[in-house]
Amino acid sequence: MDSGGYMAPMEVSDMDSVQDRYHYSQYPDEHFHYELKRYKGYAVIINNVNFGHTRYRSRERSAHDVTALQEMLQTRLLFRPEDIQIEEDLTTNQMSLVLEKVASDVNFSEYSCLIVVVLSYGEFENIVYGVDSKFSYQQLISPFQSSKTPTLLDTPKFFIIQSEYPKNDRFGHNAPVPAPLSPCNEIKEPDTLFLISVNPASITWRKDGNGSHFIQRLCEVMRLEGLRYDIKQMFVKVQQQVQRDYEGYGGDFVNTKISCPRMESLLSKEFRFDWGDH
């Protein structure tokens, strides 16, 4: 992991040692594991599809990702339907209002975690798009800072970003434009984990008609093993799967570019959705 919190993908052979390290105790302990509370979590999914008067084409295939996320949250992680909030085509101001309302209205003392998913266009300097303008990751975090929302103190907050660079080539790949991370856009909030479809050294990609590989693989891994391992271990598996998918599909294109999501974590403990499977 570098100083910015980016975790490179691990080789398959490394997974056993990772699992051994995470399985050092038989039962959860408050010093090493986040507490599981009455409800599994509260999720907000923002799906920006239509960008109005802008030159960006619509993202209709994103509906496949919303369906996969909703199904995974309800059937595998056992989120209550009323704890999954889905919003579509929000301006940056509307995004702020929705997140602020969630932060003020939900009593997070009864929830094990918060999940915020944004499906949209975006950039590499921790920027995602509302349908009218740019929205920083720090703006996503801001309403949920423990200083503003005390019931989120020591509660893990997961932000999942499927973002695509607006200019797509004919293969559906997104050509990256690497940029240094501005200090104002760095992720600093404790107990926060970002799972992001792109990093400056890679691309994000999709196949027509099937949603994004990042979200689809994330949901698949969570359905199969989401109750078994710590959340960061799950993402290592997602990284591996997405990279393998791309290498099997990309042909000659993989000689010059790779596809690898990234993780930025300020979690201080392990988190699992069910310790009964330990």
Side-chain angles (χ1 to χ4, degrees):
M1 180 181 292
D2 62 22
S3 58
Y6 165 63
M7 177 175 284
M10 296 184 181
E11 299 296 329
V12 176
S13 59
D14 294 334
M15 285 303 297
D16 289 340
S17 62
V18 171
Q19 292 164 9
D20 289 343
R21 187 167 68 250
Y22 278 87
H23 290 178
Y24 55 82
S25 64
Q26 185 175 359
Y27 301 103
D29 183 286
E30 64 179 2
H31 299 294
F32 303 109
H33 311 99
Y34 288 104
E35 179 186 1
L36 288 183
K37 302 176 184 177
R38 181 180 180 184
Y39 303 123
K40 288 297 181 71
Y42 193 93
V44 182
I45 301 173
I46 298 174
N47 182 31
N48 288 335
V49 177
N50 301 296
F51 289 78
H53 63 279
T54 70
R55 65 185 184 278
Y56 307 137
R57 66 184 183 185
S58 61
R59 304 177 57 260
E60 292 95 343
R61 286 178 287 267
S62 190
H64 293 282
D65 290 340
V66 174
T67 299
L69 286 163
Q70 189 172 15
E71 180 182 336
M72 179 269 292
L73 289 169
Q74 285 188 225
T75 62
R76 181 53 172 160
L77 301 186
L78 302 181
F79 277 48
R80 301 183 304 168
E82 60 266 36
D83 292 334
I84 303 173
Q85 179 175 339
I86 299 174
E87 305 284 347
E88 187 167 305
D89 291 346
L90 300 185
T91 64
T92 53
N93 183 59
Q94 289 170 333
M95 289 171 69
S96 291
L97 291 175
V98 164
L99 297 175
E100 288 168 2
K101 182 171 176 55
V102 170
S104 64
D105 290 356
V106 178
N107 179 10
F108 286 101
S109 63
E110 296 188 318
Y111 290 90
S112 301
C113 68
L114 165 72
I115 299 177
V116 176
V117 183
V118 181
L119 313 170
S120 187
Y121 289 120
E123 298 177 7
F124 296 95
E125 201 175 61
N126 286 4
I127 296 292
V128 71
Y129 286 16
V131 296
D132 63 333
S133 187
K134 300 179 181 181
F135 199 79
S136 73
Y137 291 3
Q138 188 56 46
Q139 288 174 280
L140 287 174
I141 297 172
S142 180
F144 304 110
Q145 292 174 325
S146 55
S147 58
K148 298 179 180 179
T149 311
T151 57
L152 275 170
L153 182 64
D154 201 35
T155 297
K157 297 166 280 289
F158 306 134
F159 295 85
I160 301 171
I161 311 295
Q162 166 57 40
S163 63
E164 305 140 19
Y165 195 71
K167 185 181 175 82
N168 296 334
D169 68 21
R170 64 189 180 91
F171 295 107
H173 300 87
N174 301 145
V177 182
L181 201 61
S182 299
C184 62
N185 284 342
E186 291 179 355
I187 298 167
K188 300 177 181 179
E189 177 67 12
D191 304 307
T192 297
L193 174 71
F194 268 78
L195 308 181
I196 307 166
S197 63
V198 292
N199 70 73
S202 76
I203 63 175
T204 183
W205 72 292
R206 53 167 170 71
K207 284 185 180 179
D208 288 346
N210 294 321
S212 67
H213 276 255
F214 170 59
I215 295 296
Q216 296 296 319
R217 282 302 191 184
L218 174 66
C219 291
E220 179 180 318
V221 169
M222 293 302 294
R223 283 195 301 267
L224 294 174
E225 301 183 270
L227 304 184
R228 187 178 179 192
Y229 296 121
D230 171 69
I231 191 70
K232 288 186 284 187
Q233 288 178 276
M234 291 296 95
F235 191 61
V236 169
K237 292 177 178 286
V238 175
Q239 286 177 307
Q240 293 172 337
Q241 291 286 353
V242 171
Q243 190 163 355
R244 286 196 201 102
D245 287 345
Y246 179 68
E247 289 170 352
Y249 170 78
D252 293 338
F253 200 77
V254 301
N255 293 330
T256 57
K257 299 182 185 297
I258 63 170
S259 178
C260 181
R262 82 180 194 263
M263 171 167 57
E264 296 187 21
S265 175
L266 288 175
L267 298 181
S268 58
K269 307 174 187 180
E270 288 187 48
F271 179 84
R272 299 186 191 186
F273 283 98
D274 189 347
W275 285 99
D277 282 10
H278 188 77

